C-alpha cells in the first residue's frame, strides 16, 4: 500500500527525472526562444545589436544542429575566445548567451542574455556598458506543441 501511494505521489508531482527532452524538443525550444528574443525583439536592448541580421551566440550550452534558420537572421556560434577576437578586430558588440535547459514541474526554462563583449582597447580605457540584459522563458508542451512565454526580463 505504501509503495502505491508513493508511486502515485511521484506521478502526481510530475517529477523532473521522468521528463526527458528529445533532440527535436530541444531544437524546437531553442527555435522558439530565439524567435521570441530576436525576431519578435523581446530581448532587452535589442536596438543596440549592431548587425541584426548576423547574431553571434556563445557556443556554450548550444549544439550547432539546434540553431534555427530564419528568413532575415543568421546565427553564428562562436567560442568565447572567438567572440573576443572578433571584438578586438571589429569593436565592441552584443552577443547572445543561452543557458542550458532546466526542467522543473513538467516545464522547461531557459535564459537568453544579451551580453557585451569589449575589445582589449575598450577594456584598457576602463570603459564599461550599462546595457544588455535578458529574458527567462518558460516552455510547456500542450497537446504535442510547445508553448513559450517570457516570465522574466532584466536589464543591466
Amino acid at each position: 500500500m505504501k509503495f502505491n501511494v508513493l508511486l502515485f505521489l511521484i506521478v502526481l508531482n510530475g517529477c523532473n527525472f521522468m521528463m526527458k527532452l528529445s533532440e527535436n524538443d530541444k531544437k524546437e525550444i531553442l527555435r522558439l526562444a530565439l524567435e521570441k528574443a530576436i525576431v519578435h525583439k523581446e530581448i532587452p536592448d535589442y536596438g543596440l545589436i549592431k548587425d541584426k541580421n548576423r547574431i553571434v551566440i556563445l557556443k556554450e550550452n548550444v549544439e550547432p544542429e539546434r540553431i534555427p534558420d530564419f528568413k532575415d537572421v543568421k546565427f553564428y556560434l562562436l567560442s568565447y575566445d572567438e567572440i573576443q577576437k572578433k571584438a578586438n578586430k571589429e569593436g565592441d558588440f552584443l552577443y547572445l548567451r543561452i543557458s542550458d535547459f532546466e526542467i522543473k514541474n513538467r516545464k522547461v526554462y531557459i535564459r537568453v542574455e544579451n551580453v557585451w563583449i569589449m575589445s582589449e582597447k575598450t577594456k584598457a580605457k576602463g570603459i564599461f556598458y550599462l546595457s544588455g540584459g535578458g529574458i527567462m522563458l518558460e516552455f510547456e508542451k500542450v497537446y504535442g506543441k510547445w508553448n513559450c512565454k517570457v516570465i522574466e526580463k532584466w536589464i543591466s
Side-chain angles (χ1 to χ4, degrees), residues 90-105:
E90 300 172 20
D92 307 348
F93 65 93
L94 286 161
Y95 68 93
L96 298 182
R97 182 171 55 205
I98 300 171
S99 72
D100 204 0
F101 300 92
E102 180 183 335
I103 300 170
K104 192 183 234 181
N105 298 326

Side-chain angles (χ1 to χ4, degrees), residues 71-85:
K71 182 182 173 197
D72 296 325
V73 181
K74 177 121 174 89
F75 295 103
Y76 297 89
L77 279 179
L78 300 176
S79 68
Y80 185 82
D81 289 341
E82 291 169 323
I83 293 172
Q84 184 65 63
K85 286 178 187 173

Side-chain angles (χ1 to χ4, degrees), residues 108-123:
V108 179
Y109 299 88
I110 61 171
R111 289 178 309 283
V112 180
E113 298 174 283
N114 210 7
V115 182
W116 280 101
I117 184 77
M118 295 180 289
S119 70
E120 296 300 328
K121 286 181 186 178
T122 301
K123 289 178 187 177

Side-chain angles (χ1 to χ4, degrees), residues 4-26:
N4 288 340
V5 171
L6 180 60
L7 182 60
F8 174 74
L9 290 174
I10 289 171
V11 171
L12 183 65
N13 287 328
C15 286
N16 298 333
F17 66 85
M18 296 176 78
M19 183 179 184
K20 298 284 185 203
L21 294 175
S22 71
E23 190 55 39
N24 284 339
D25 287 332
K26 292 176 181 179

Side-chain angles (χ1 to χ4, degrees), residues 29-42:
I29 288 168
L30 186 58
R31 184 191 71 75
L32 289 168
L34 290 171
E35 181 177 65
K36 186 77 84 175
I38 300 301
V39 176
H40 297 298
K41 305 172 185 173
E42 291 197 35

